[in-house]
Amino acid sequence: MWNRDSKVRIEKDNNRTRRNKAWQLSIIAFSAIILLIALYTFNVRRSGYTVRREFLLDTYVTIAVNGKGSNADKLIDIGFSEIKRIDEKFNPLNEKSILYKINHAAGKWVKIDKETHDLIERSLYYSNISNDAFDITLGRLIGLWGFYSLSSTPTSIPSKDDISKCIASYGADKIELEKDRIKLRSNCALDLGGIAKGYAVDMAVLRMKENAPDITGYVDAGGDIRIMGKKYGTLPWSVGIRDPRSEDKSIDVVYLKGGSIATSGDYERYFFYKGKRYCHIFDPKTGFPATKAISATVISKNLVDADALATTVFVLGPIKGIQLLNQLGVDGMIIDKDKKIYKTKGFEYYEKRR
Ligand code: AMP
Ligand code: MG
């Protein structure tokens, strides 16, 4: 009895010893993992980010990538050369660009590559879902208002007559788009300024990730930002949304661990005439600068979509704009001319540091 009992007891003791060993091993393994994470974070933090800024896409573009030295420099070179390529390709003022060729074809077909086709097709999608608030055929109107002048800002506004005539030149129905060619009605001109910045940044991020899949950092093109992974591999990036009436103040802060954020504001390019502000984003219905909003911010996975949508909802204004974003399941914030703030249902998720 006793022996059997004792055997049982010994067996029990063996089990306890085995369990204790397993616990000890798990604790050691757990501590090792914590130590590795701490070391990684310490290393990443110590090496920090390499940051470079260049003037491209009509604005200052900043690229930040983790690490220092030639590797980081090489990645930034890759990012900037991709942005440069797209900037040159879709700049309507660059005589060598495909956009210049399309705009000066006098109603004839122009051969285009897949990239051009796809970007125009995506733009037409945003025209379609916004009842033409987003419109890439406003080239003549933008020129008429003087926003293509590189050296000066406009000092007066065009006549109502000229604006009415110009309205007849644009509209999505003036484009015939096929897989490898495009034709515009003769006095129509394309302008991709509302979407190309986002596309260029997305492509730069793609190229950098091809070369460094674990890259973290961001690309910021004048406030339109694409995040590449968490800061130091663990933290969210905090992004300030500019107060549209105060250059150095933020009106809100959002926290992003990935994805993109774009803001369209009437403070980016504008002029005053007889005490009234006229900005660079137009309401295609009136031929005048849009006035229902003074700032519109959109958060989405790709910057090309956030960029196009920010311009779109800027034109639509807060009521229709928020409605459209909710319909699409995209989050955003729109500020009207009285500085009243409107947000989508899910926007507050990004306002909390997680
Ligand atoms: P963003 O800063 O992204 O809002 O883009 C503004 C630029 O988009 C302008 O400078 C124009 O080149 C172009 N644009 C202006 N109005 C519109 C519009 N209603 N739809 C699409 N693009 C526009
Ligand atoms: Mg835009």
Side-chain angles (χ1 to χ4, degrees):
M1 282 282 285
W2 188 90
N3 268 347
R4 211 183 299 150
D5 228 31
S6 120
K7 199 177 168 212
V8 169
R9 223 175 285 134
I10 289 163
E11 270 178 6
K12 269 189 187 158
D13 280 346
N14 270 346
N15 274 343
R16 199 175 301 144
T17 317
R18 239 179 274 139
R19 261 202 310 264
N20 279 344
K21 271 210 177 119
W23 260 108
Q24 278 166 3
L25 280 175
S26 332
I27 288 167
I28 291 169
F30 184 70
S31 312
I33 289 168
I34 294 286
L35 190 70
L36 279 176
I37 291 173
L39 274 174
Y40 172 77
T41 310
F42 175 73
N43 265 334
V44 174
R45 276 187 191 226
R46 203 181 46 172
S47 55
Y49 282 86
T50 303
V51 182
R52 204 192 302 159
R53 194 169 83 138
E54 286 189 22
F55 193 82
L56 285 165
L57 299 163
D58 223 8
T59 189
Y60 281 103
V61 181
T62 305
I63 300 183
V65 309
N66 58 305
K68 300 269 183 216
S70 61
N71 221 12
D73 283 334
K74 226 184 287 160
L75 286 173
I76 294 177
D77 287 345
I78 290 169
F80 274 125
S81 73
E82 185 66 358
I83 291 175
K84 227 169 273 171
R85 179 185 73 79
I86 294 163
D87 189 14
E88 281 165 12
K89 185 168 179 175
F90 297 122
N91 180 351
L93 304 180
N94 170 15
E95 293 182 14
K96 290 186 187 132
S97 77
I98 184 65
L99 220 63
Y100 188 91
K101 200 169 170 194
I102 295 169
N103 288 346
H104 292 83
K108 299 211 175 65
W109 285 103
V110 175
K111 268 193 97 51
I112 52 171
D113 64 3
K114 184 173 171 352
E115 182 175 53
T116 307
H117 170 273
D118 291 355
L119 191 59
I120 293 173
E121 190 177 56
R122 201 172 200 127
S123 305
L124 292 174
Y125 163 75
Y126 286 107
S127 300
N128 197 25
I129 61 163
S130 67
N131 194 17
D132 293 323
F134 187 81
D135 190 338
I136 54 161
T137 64
L138 302 183
R140 296 268 173 265
L141 186 72
I142 294 165
L144 177 68
W145 278 85
F147 281 103
Y148 281 142
S149 164
L150 297 174
S151 53
S152 63
T153 45
T155 49
S156 65
I157 66 169
S159 73
K160 286 224 164 90
D161 204 35
D162 284 345
I163 294 172
S164 304
K165 274 187 211 142
C166 203
I167 287 177
S169 76
Y170 60 76
D173 61 330
K174 307 290 186 298
I175 305 180
E176 277 181 73
L177 179 68
E178 292 181 4
K179 206 171 127 247
D180 56 2
R181 58 181 194 161
I182 188 168
K183 185 165 73 171
L184 300 184
R185 201 68 68 73
S186 65
N187 61 344
C188 177
L190 299 188
D191 179 291
L192 294 172
I195 190 168
K197 223 191 299 176
Y199 176 70
V201 171
D202 280 345
M203 288 305 293
V205 168
L206 183 78
R207 294 284 170 254
M208 287 190 285
K209 278 195 169 166
E210 278 170 359
N211 285 274
D214 296 328
I215 192 170
T216 71
Y218 62 83
V219 181
D220 174 353
D224 290 358
I225 301 166
R226 171 127 184 190
I227 302 293
M228 301 184 283
K230 296 175 204 159
K231 192 176 182 181
Y232 304 128
T234 53
L235 301 171
W237 295 89
S238 50
V239 180
I241 297 167
R242 184 180 144 164
D243 180 331
R245 291 293 174 261
S246 175
E247 207 170 307
D248 44 13
K249 256 172 58 191
S250 292
I251 205 156
D252 201 356
V253 177
V254 294
Y255 299 95
L256 298 175
K257 291 176 179 166
S260 307
I261 182 164
T263 298
S264 289
D266 71 353
Y267 50 83
E268 286 172 285
R269 283 201 78 190
Y270 63 92
F271 65 95
F272 277 99
Y273 178 67
K274 294 192 176 165
K276 206 174 154 200
R277 181 192 291 255
Y278 294 92
C279 80
H280 66 312
I281 304 171
F282 289 90
D283 183 344
K285 299 270 183 293
T286 63
F288 275 74
T291 52
K292 291 196 183 95
I294 61 171
S295 163
T297 297
V298 174
I299 296 173
S300 81
K301 184 168 178 278
N302 296 316
L303 192 56
V304 67
D305 300 307
D307 186 7
L309 275 172
T311 309
T312 304
V313 299
F314 182 94
V315 176
L316 289 175
I319 307 297
K320 285 189 179 162
I322 294 289
Q323 217 171 29
L324 177 66
L325 294 180
N326 280 332
Q327 254 169 37
L328 296 171
V330 173
D331 284 304
M333 178 176 96
I334 302 173
I335 306 175
D336 75 6
K337 56 183 184 316
D338 302 318
K339 272 187 95 176
K340 188 167 175 212
I341 298 177
Y342 300 74
K343 294 170 186 172
T344 57
K345 292 173 211 141
F347 194 77
E348 66 174 18
Y349 172 80
Y350 297 99
E351 295 173 309
K352 291 188 191 112
R353 192 190 274 271
R354 283 153 284 121

